[in-house]
Amino acid sequence: MEESILQALATHYQQMRDVPLRALFDRDPGRFARFSLSCPDLLLDYSKNRLTTETLTLLFALARAAGLEQARDGLFAGEICNWTENRPVLHPALRRHSTQPVWVNGRNIMPDIQAERERMRIFSAQFRARALLGSGGKPLTTLVNIGIGGSHLGPEMITQALQPYGASGPEVRFVGNIDGADFQEAVRDLDPAQTLFVIASKTFTTRETLVNAQTARRWLQQGGVAESDLSPHLVAVTAYPERAQTFGVDPERIFAIWEWVGGRYSWCSAIGLSVAVRVGFDHFEQLLAGAQAMDHHFCTAPLEHNMPVILALIGFWNSRFGGAETLAILPYDHSLRRLPAFLQQCDMESNGKRVDRDGQVVTGSTGPIVWGEVGSNAQHSFFQLLHQGTHRVPVDFIGCCRSPYPLEEHHLELMANFFAQSEALMRGRTAAEVEADLRASGLADEEVQRILPHRLFPGNQPSNTLLLSALTPFNLGMLIALYEMKIYVQGVLWRINSFDQWGVELGKSMARQILVESRRLLAGEAVDLSRHDGSTAGLLRCFVAGQVAPPPGALPLDPTRGVAPGPHRGG
Ligand code: F6P
């Protein structure tokens, strides 16, 4: 069944592939209305993709044949959707407000979730009221979240996105990178006596986080906080409280998350504590409510009117048949500047897989390479390639009708660019249009012909536009859940496990081994590096020696000129 629908889609694509997008609009004045969908406060316009009603009919049939509705219901019912780790995937339960039970291994998890939410509410309110005191009796005023991946990207992105709601809140900073520069920069101007570190790590084994957490302890001690007085300055969020306790965190200061929350989906758990402290718990709850509204829409709307499903199917269409390898996320909202990074982890760690449920290699590409940057800045860096390069690059444009900042003229200019870019990418500029322009500017025939190819815009870059009424906590919650569910739908289409991440393990274990070898080399011991390839061993030796000595035969650099001298350089 699925095969025959895929075949029908392939045939249909052959009929569609040369139809210019602008022709689809010319033929159908109702295209925008037909191919857009809105919930209150969020509009998805997908009309600037190369598709017709027939395309969608086939894609919906494919989704049904792939068992999407059952898979969706299974996720929300707590079935084992992460089958390589034998776990249910229940981040939607974290944003539910209903008291209906959700069972995991015979235990209703809703009371645990509610209890943890209540602890977050109390803790964030106390912190915001400056009622939590450091060891010396001064109020804690700055929260530094130490975490990486899902224990960092979501809270950081959301805190930035909701800056107008947090402007009067406590200072909140984020340390993720094991590069000491990140920690140093974050604490540069802080007073240890008034600083709280939240060590956010589901596993409490992540090397980056533990190294930064150890450094935080030392920094506190060097700043005058005695070893025995550290606990007011430390909080942990983890699924392994005993590990946090061993580290020295007071059990009363450990917030729970659970194995059934994937790291990249954990912003809606206590991993979001930094968000609640910054913007206040009521706003955090609105964020959850927005996500829940999108979950509800996903669960109840027919596939034909279901935003995450439509977004997922379009992505599948553009990649499987349109040959697109990437997806550009372009938020035209400075507050959403970390959204591309957040979605990179969410999508690429979820769907960057090559084998299906049965261990068979998937046909075609799976998850796209997600990248992006905030508009309008991006227009002055990589948009040239989108307009005239050789790659097919689907884009998601994200913008808001209203800005919370009072510079209205800026918002108008920003949004003019937002609408112009998706139109330009779709329409392009034909030879006839370019020629008419060049002639009108008075160029001679010969010059017109010479310049013309350089001024052509092929157009036909597919894009979705997500237009929010405003970037409120509720709307942001909807937007995040929209992408989360879209990613799940695509995983179902490819029959892959969107909830494990075995691919991150190999590099981690090799780094552990290289760390041991580097230490031994630095201590002057003889280390056999023959298990490494020549490149890695050579680089490691250079690093340990602290010199990037040129390999034999390399051209020496002339420090006075900055270029290698030699007869072949001429001049
Ligand atoms: O290495 C990848 C990863 O496991 C992510 O999936 C996760 O979000 C991140 O590391 C951090 O993990 P933890 O919260 O357990 O420290």
Side-chain angles (χ1 to χ4, degrees):
M1 172 65 170
E2 268 181 74
E3 270 312 313
S4 66
I5 302 169
L6 283 169
Q7 193 46 55
L9 276 163
T11 309
H12 173 64
Y13 183 76
Q14 291 311 313
Q15 294 153 2
M16 293 287 297
R17 53 177 293 174
D18 297 323
V19 180
L21 273 173
R22 56 161 78 189
L24 295 175
F25 280 93
D26 293 344
R27 271 184 222 159
D28 178 7
R31 186 170 171 85
F32 170 67
R34 199 181 318 288
F35 299 122
S36 63
L37 183 66
S38 57
C39 329
D41 295 311
L42 174 59
L43 167 77
L44 164 63
D45 168 23
Y46 54 98
S47 59
K48 291 192 183 91
N49 285 282
R50 197 180 255 136
L51 51 78
T52 61
T53 308
E54 185 186 347
T55 322
L56 287 171
T57 304
L58 287 168
L59 287 169
F60 291 128
L62 180 74
R64 290 205 166 86
L68 175 61
E69 285 146 317
Q70 295 85 332
R72 171 190 66 188
D73 297 346
L75 178 87
F76 282 79
E79 284 175 12
I80 303 292
C81 292
N82 178 352
W83 57 81
T84 59
E85 295 178 292
N86 207 26
R87 291 176 191 161
V89 177
L90 281 167
H91 52 276
L94 291 165
R95 45 233 199 182
R96 274 187 43 184
H97 267 274
S98 114
T99 48
Q100 226 185 321
V102 177
W103 301 98
V104 175
N105 298 329
R107 182 184 173 91
N108 176 12
I109 59 170
M110 290 315 292
D112 298 341
I113 293 174
Q114 273 146 6
E116 232 35 43
R117 241 189 244 160
E118 182 57 13
R119 292 183 66 215
M120 282 176 78
R121 189 185 65 72
I122 295 169
F123 187 89
S124 55
Q126 288 175 336
F127 197 103
R128 289 169 64 80
R130 299 168 75 105
L132 295 178
L133 305 183
S135 57
K138 285 203 222 165
L140 296 169
T141 52
T142 302
L143 182 156
V144 180
N145 186 84
I146 296 181
I148 199 163
S151 300
H152 169 162
L153 289 165
E156 184 195 42
M157 181 275 285
I158 295 167
T159 305
Q160 269 180 10
L162 299 182
Q163 167 63 15
Y165 296 82
S168 62
E171 178 75 16
V172 169
R173 298 187 183 176
F174 293 89
V175 175
N177 203 329
I178 202 163
D179 183 337
D182 201 9
F183 184 88
Q184 291 284 358
E185 282 298 313
V187 300
R188 189 169 33 96
D189 52 350
L190 297 184
D191 175 5
Q194 298 194 276
T195 302
L196 174 81
F197 289 98
V198 173
I199 309 163
S201 176
K202 176 176 159 180
T203 55
F204 224 83
T205 57
T206 305
R207 196 70 199 139
E208 288 89 339
T209 301
L210 293 186
V211 169
N212 277 317
Q214 290 290 3
T215 303
R217 282 175 68 127
R218 273 199 307 279
W219 178 80
L220 287 167
Q221 287 169 309
Q222 285 158 5
V225 181
E227 168 78 36
S228 54
D229 288 339
L230 283 173
S231 57
H233 297 271
L234 299 176
V235 158
V237 185
T238 182
Y240 292 87
E242 63 291 350
R243 295 178 190 164
Q245 244 177 287
T246 307
F247 181 84
V249 184
D250 178 347
E252 294 290 310
R253 291 275 184 118
I254 300 175
F255 289 81
I257 57 168
W258 302 273
E259 281 297 4
W260 43 260
V261 194
R264 52 196 173 271
Y265 300 95
S266 64
W267 61 270
C268 46
S269 70
I271 290 287
L273 187 65
S274 49
V275 177
V277 164
R278 177 71 177 169
V279 301
F281 195 73
D282 289 351
H283 288 133
F284 183 74
E285 287 217 301
Q286 286 169 26
L287 190 70
L288 298 185
Q292 189 195 12
M294 183 53 72
D295 291 345
H296 180 73
H297 164 81
F298 176 54
C299 287
T300 54
L303 302 191
E304 287 74 5
H305 303 285
N306 197 309
M307 254 192 220
V309 172
I310 290 173
L311 213 49
L313 290 173
I314 290 171
F316 180 83
W317 168 246
N318 284 333
S319 114
R320 174 80 179 242
F321 301 102
E325 296 259 284
T326 83
L327 171 65
I329 303 287
L330 303 177
Y332 273 65
D333 192 309
H334 189 67
S335 303
L336 287 174
R337 59 195 177 281
R338 290 293 282 163
L339 185 68
F342 169 75
L343 291 179
Q344 264 172 347
Q345 188 202 9
C346 207
D347 201 328
M348 294 166 82
E349 206 172 71
S350 296
N351 286 343
K353 315 284 163 66
R354 60 191 304 111
V355 294
D356 68 12
R357 214 187 165 104
D358 304 319
Q360 301 299 315
V361 176
V362 178
T363 310
S365 313
T366 56
I369 300 162
V370 177
W371 60 293
E373 179 56 279
V374 72
S376 61
N377 300 19
Q379 289 171 206
H380 300 273
S381 57
F382 54 75
F383 266 54
Q384 166 64 37
L385 180 145
L386 302 186
H387 284 294
Q388 288 191 311
T390 52
H391 301 275
R392 170 72 46 87
V393 184
V395 174
D396 283 359
F397 286 95
I398 302 166
C400 297
C401 295
R402 292 188 307 280
S403 163
Y405 294 93
L407 301 169
E408 264 171 45
E409 193 49 37
H410 283 246
H411 192 61
L412 217 54
E413 294 245 9
L414 174 74
M415 294 307 283
N417 279 281
F418 176 76
F419 296 116
Q421 289 298 333
S422 65
E423 184 169 22
L425 286 169
M426 183 275 285
R427 291 187 67 80
R429 201 141 178 73
T430 62
E433 287 167 343
V434 175
E435 189 168 339
D437 272 2
L438 292 176
R439 287 194 190 289
S441 70
L443 284 190
D445 270 7
E446 204 180 310
E447 195 58 2
V448 168
Q449 294 318 318
R450 191 177 72 80
I451 295 293
L452 197 141
H454 302 278
R455 301 285 293 267
L456 279 181
F457 287 73
N460 296 312
Q461 287 288 28
S463 72
N464 298 304
T465 296
L466 287 157
L467 189 60
L468 296 137
S469 56
L471 191 56
T472 61
F474 185 92
N475 292 349
L476 180 62
M478 278 203 298
L479 184 69
I480 299 172
L482 168 63
Y483 276 102
E484 288 177 349
M485 294 305 158
K486 171 218 154 164
I487 290 164
Y488 177 55
V489 172
Q490 292 193 329
V492 172
L493 295 174
W494 289 308
R495 298 185 72 242
I496 56 179
N497 182 347
S498 299
F499 302 110
D500 58 10
Q501 58 282 323
W502 297 106
V504 301
E505 295 305 324
L506 176 63
K508 279 189 198 173
S509 66
M510 288 169 80
R512 276 196 292 274
Q513 177 67 31
I514 290 179
L515 182 64
V516 172
E517 289 164 349
S518 309
R519 285 205 177 109
R520 290 183 50 209
L521 283 168
L522 281 166
E525 290 176 38
V527 178
D528 176 11
L529 295 179
S530 62
R531 63 176 207 95
H532 294 291
D533 58 87
S535 157
T536 309
L539 291 167
L540 203 45
R541 283 202 183 90
C542 285
F543 167 69
V544 168
Q547 297 177 5
V548 283
L555 285 173
L557 290 180
D558 175 349
T560 58
R561 297 170 64 202
V563 292
H568 63 288
R569 296 260 159 196

